Amino acid sequence: MKVAIVTGASRGIGRACAIKLGSHGYTVVINYARSEAKAQEVLDIIKQNGGDGMLYKADVSKYEEVKEMVKVVFDTYKQIDVLVNNAGIVRDEPLIGLHEENLDECFNLNVKGYFYCAKECALKMARKRSGVIINMSSVSGTFSLPGQTVYSATKGAVNQFTKTLAKEMGSRGIRCNAVAPGFIETEMIDTLSDEKKEEYLKNIPLRRFGNSEDVSNIVLALASDEFSYVTGQVITLDGGLSL
Ligand code: NAP
């Protein structure tokens, strides 16, 4: 049995990752902040597929809540094998109209939240000298779009955090990689106007947005022992957008 924590697993990409891992034998901890009914739906699907897991409500931008979550998970299962740091938000706005609360909210969740979860899980993984951390980055970490100074800075931080952590934890048997999706059809991109979507599609060589299933396939692969020699990588998954 292997245990995976997926943060922000009630919706979108996290939901797909939780369901994918759950249907491949992982016991999945479905973390969410608000959407309890949606998180329950994810657990129900995992159980219908013959898997198992638990729900855990925690705001992962708050260190105390992360510590308690990891403690409860470890007390329950006595192991944590995989962490998918996925919970993230976007608050696009031009820099000259920047709201300080958006800056704080993005960095607190997209960056500090990843550090909190990685630290607490790595402490448990190091005891077993085995574990996998997968950080959900974004193509915006390397590819610039106007209005995304804050979001792209958080994802750039995630990319470098991933590489440095991989180097730091490799000798303790912990691998760390990031997945950098382009446009993925979730509620996160629902805010884009049809006009904007059309414009972006023209720049995607594969002429489609990705879906959460595309991302979950990479996450499953990175978690598996078949990729046990891969660490410190940022895997881009964007239909060619950033080429
Ligand atoms: P989404 O559909 O908006 O879902 C966000 C998830 O994060 C929800 O499950 C939400 O839970 C959870 N969440 C939000 N704040 C949280 C908090 N403080 N603590 C714990 N959980 C929290 O987002 P998504 O599109 O799936 O994006 C997931 C990740 O992929 C993010 O890191 C994002 O930056 C990255 N990404 C997305 C795209 C894209 O095009 N969609 C592209 C590149 C990268 P509740 O429902 O309970 O609030």
Side-chain angles (χ1 to χ4, degrees):
M1 194 256 290
K2 283 194 171 181
V3 177
I5 299 178
V6 183
T7 69
S10 53
R11 297 185 279 117
I13 291 172
R15 177 185 199 272
C17 293
I19 292 171
K20 179 69 70 176
L21 291 166
S23 62
H24 284 79
Y26 291 85
T27 296
V28 186
V29 180
I30 300 150
N31 160 257
Y32 66 99
R34 289 161 287 263
S35 309
E36 174 123 26
K38 291 193 173 181
Q40 182 62 52
E41 200 181 289
V42 175
L43 183 57
D44 292 345
I45 293 170
I46 289 173
K47 287 189 173 171
Q48 278 156 23
N49 293 342
D52 201 3
M54 69 188 275
L55 302 184
Y56 199 96
K57 178 178 165 126
D59 177 346
V60 294
S61 70
K62 302 210 165 98
Y63 196 20
E64 289 311 313
E65 294 191 28
V66 170
K67 279 190 200 163
E68 186 57 22
M69 173 174 77
V70 172
K71 182 182 179 306
V72 169
V73 172
F74 195 75
D75 287 350
T76 307
Y77 298 118
K78 316 289 178 240
Q79 67 195 76
I80 296 172
D81 302 283
V82 175
L83 165 68
V84 183
N85 255 331
N86 166 78
I89 46 169
V90 65
R91 297 283 182 265
D92 289 354
E93 55 189 1
L95 182 78
I96 51 174
L98 178 71
H99 291 86
E100 194 184 355
E101 59 272 25
N102 288 342
L103 180 66
D104 288 342
E105 214 189 332
C106 283
F107 271 88
N108 286 343
L109 181 60
N110 299 7
V111 182
K112 289 173 84 175
Y114 281 35
F115 274 75
Y116 299 151
C117 293
K119 179 186 171 190
E120 292 308 302
C121 289
L123 281 165
K124 306 297 182 201
M125 290 169 174
R127 290 192 197 177
K128 254 180 87 179
R129 301 191 77 74
S130 156
V132 180
I133 296 171
I134 300 165
N135 293 324
M136 200 55 65
S137 180
S138 166
V139 73
S140 302
T142 49
F143 179 75
S144 304
L145 285 175
Q148 292 208 322
T149 52
V150 173
Y151 183 71
S152 63
T154 65
K155 295 305 184 180
V158 166
N159 290 350
Q160 198 52 42
F161 168 58
T162 300
K163 293 175 193 182
T164 308
L165 187 63
K167 212 162 183 179
E168 197 171 298
M169 300 306 285
S171 62
R172 294 178 203 191
I174 300 172
R175 293 191 291 117
C176 183
N177 291 291
V179 179
F183 291 105
I184 304 297
E185 291 187 89
T186 69
E187 287 173 34
M188 189 174 266
I189 66 162
D190 278 354
T191 50
L192 293 176
S193 66
D194 287 346
E195 221 173 33
K196 265 274 171 240
K197 284 187 183 170
E198 275 306 310
E199 188 189 317
Y200 289 143
L201 274 176
K202 281 191 203 138
N203 293 314
I204 299 174
L206 292 184
R207 294 286 186 274
R208 70 168 177 93
F209 292 133
N211 56 53
S212 299
E213 176 86 9
D214 293 323
V215 185
S216 70
N217 287 332
I218 304 278
V219 166
L220 178 69
L222 288 172
S224 91
D225 289 342
E226 283 173 30
F227 282 68
S228 63
Y229 205 49
V230 178
T231 196
Q233 301 306 304
V234 180
I235 314 284
T236 301
L237 175 87
D238 66 353
L241 171 71
S242 59
L243 296 174

